Amino acid sequence: MSTDPKIQILLTGATGYVGGSVLAKLLEHEKKSAFAITAIVRSADKAKLFAEVEERTGVPITPVQGSHSDAALVASLASQSDVVIAAADVDDLEAARAILGGLRQRYEKTGVKPILLHTSGTAVFCDHAAGLSGDAPVYDDTDLAQLAKVPDSAPHRNVELTVFEADAQGYVETYIISPSTIYGRATGILVDLGIQNPKSQQIPRLARLSVKRGRAGMVGKGLNYWPNVHIDEVADLFMVIFDEARKTKDARNPALGHGREGYYVAANGEHKLYQISQAIGKALVKLGKSDNAEPTTFTDDEVEELGGDVMANVILGGNSRTVARRGKLVGWTPAKTTSDMLASVEEEVKFALEN
């Protein structure tokens, strides 16, 4: 039996859509016997369920009931970690600072740089098109000069800049994974036990409101573009980076970068908002819930119901155009494309009808 110390992994957002999917991959990892995982969990009931997860998988999991917004708790746990995977609220700057503060302590204690995999999102590239235009720059995640021009005021950017700065200071290696429109239902033991949220945000939100109004809806004319990616393949990208980052520098894929060179967009297709809304419309007609598949523009009141100006006109109706090259250079091999995303829409409409 190996006496090597366990790799200490801290995961925030373990009960969420992305974080839970990443945790599920860790539980299936070929080297899972070397992991000791700590997960911050808000719910006491869900925290108790991790005992069954450990029993079934054999991976030591320590659930800590609390919030990723508890800076003292987060910093303390990060200071004990070799790897932190941050997949909770991507806009919580104080939580990011707490993680980095703990990782600085880890480095000062061990002399070994810990690793941070931070989740962001391609809303950082968004404009305010409100569904009225598809004219927008395409960001390439290997083009450092272009990425440096992203405005400091962009969504998620203040946290990203803080993560970059920590890497530049030399006490941590940081990697940012920036998913686009994520689709598909999460599956696995965490979903089966009721621990993990299995659904995304954008498409289910559009489906629910379209079901309520009895006809597919869209922001503006639905002319804006977004990239897309399946939830399983987002988690796969995390695993590729997790595996490469833990290797010695000589053994790493030479394309692996960290800090500003460690920015990884998760995308493998692009769509217009209109295409999703049209797919919702076709599903509603097929299921006998509408007599017209053509989407219509959401009213001002419906925009508020979607979540207001930023959610509707930026996150759903804005343009976020990207080329995801860096992950593929490191070994990420996503296979699902926009056609798979559109094929998944009917299932989301069925869920909306059932609930």
Side-chain angles (χ1 to χ4, degrees):
M1 180 179 295
S2 174
T3 58
D4 292 340
K6 297 281 188 180
I7 299 167
Q8 301 295 324
I9 302 170
L10 172 64
L11 177 65
T12 67
T15 64
Y17 183 53
V18 174
S21 297
V22 173
L23 177 55
K25 293 288 185 181
L26 288 172
L27 297 175
E28 297 171 350
H29 197 284
E30 63 180 1
K31 296 183 179 178
K32 65 181 182 179
S33 62
F35 302 159
I37 301 172
T38 299
I40 300 176
V41 185
R42 289 180 183 272
S43 164
D45 290 338
K46 288 187 176 182
K48 293 175 183 177
L49 294 173
F50 277 95
E52 186 168 350
V53 176
E54 181 174 343
E55 182 178 343
R56 291 192 190 183
T57 64
V59 181
I61 302 176
T62 302
V64 176
Q65 188 183 354
S67 167
H68 71 278
S69 297
D70 183 337
L73 173 65
V74 171
S76 175
L77 294 174
S79 72
Q80 303 166 49
S81 304
D82 303 305
V83 181
V84 174
I85 300 173
D89 182 352
V90 303
D91 291 314
D92 193 330
L93 178 59
E94 293 310 310
R97 286 173 172 165
I99 288 170
L100 292 167
L103 293 176
R104 183 190 286 274
Q105 293 176 43
R106 181 70 170 181
Y107 175 69
E108 291 171 349
K109 179 180 178 180
T110 66
V112 177
K113 290 185 185 180
I115 295 165
L116 171 62
L117 275 63
H118 173 78
T119 311
S120 189
T122 62
V124 71
F125 305 124
C126 252
D127 60 18
H128 198 281
L132 298 178
S133 171
D135 184 18
V138 179
Y139 286 86
D140 182 334
D141 66 359
T142 63
D143 188 335
L144 299 180
Q146 185 189 36
L147 293 178
K149 295 177 182 177
V150 174
D152 291 357
S153 59
H156 317 324
R157 191 61 170 173
N158 60 336
V159 181
E160 290 184 353
L161 292 172
T162 299
V163 172
F164 291 150
E165 177 59 25
D167 185 279
Q169 289 180 16
Y171 64 86
V172 61
E173 286 193 357
T174 68
Y175 304 84
I176 291 180
I177 295 90
S178 191
S180 50
T181 297
I182 312 177
Y183 65 92
R185 289 271 158 165
T187 59
I189 184 174
L190 300 174
V191 174
D192 295 343
L193 290 175
I195 295 173
Q196 180 188 357
N197 165 35
K199 63 182 184 298
S200 184
Q201 287 289 327
Q202 292 98 322
I203 297 175
R205 194 180 291 255
L206 290 167
R208 286 194 300 270
L209 185 52
S210 295
V211 164
K212 180 179 179 181
R213 73 202 295 264
R215 186 165 178 177
M218 59 188 172
V219 178
K221 297 180 180 180
L223 298 178
N224 59 295
Y225 287 93
W226 262 79
N228 54 74
V229 64
H230 192 275
I231 181 58
D232 290 342
E233 296 185 332
V234 173
D236 287 340
L237 178 56
F238 273 87
M239 289 300 97
V240 168
I241 298 169
F242 173 80
D243 287 340
E244 287 295 328
R246 290 184 300 108
K247 293 178 181 178
T248 63
K249 290 186 178 180
D250 290 342
R252 287 178 178 177
N253 185 311
L256 184 74
H258 57 87
R260 287 186 178 270
E261 296 182 3
Y263 197 92
Y264 295 82
V265 167
N268 200 46
E270 186 181 58
H271 62 271
K272 284 186 177 182
L273 177 65
Y274 174 81
Q275 291 176 275
I276 293 178
S277 297
Q278 184 183 53
I280 291 172
K282 290 179 179 179
L284 287 172
V285 170
K286 179 179 177 180
L287 297 168
K289 300 300 180 180
S290 179
D291 59 5
N292 193 328
E294 186 65 17
T296 59
T297 300
F298 289 125
T299 65
D300 290 344
D301 287 343
E302 288 171 333
V303 164
E304 287 303 310
E305 194 168 348
L306 275 174
D309 176 65
V310 173
M311 174 55 69
N313 296 321
V314 178
I315 305 301
L316 291 171
N319 288 288
S320 174
R321 307 197 68 179
T322 63
V323 176
R325 298 187 195 277
R326 191 175 294 278
K328 294 171 185 177
L329 292 174
V330 178
W332 183 48
T333 56
K336 294 183 182 297
T337 63
T338 297
S339 60
D340 296 291
M341 183 272 293
L342 293 173
S344 77
V345 170
E346 183 176 331
E347 181 183 24
E348 295 297 346
V349 173
K350 288 179 180 178
F351 276 113
L353 288 166
E354 292 169 359
N355 294 282

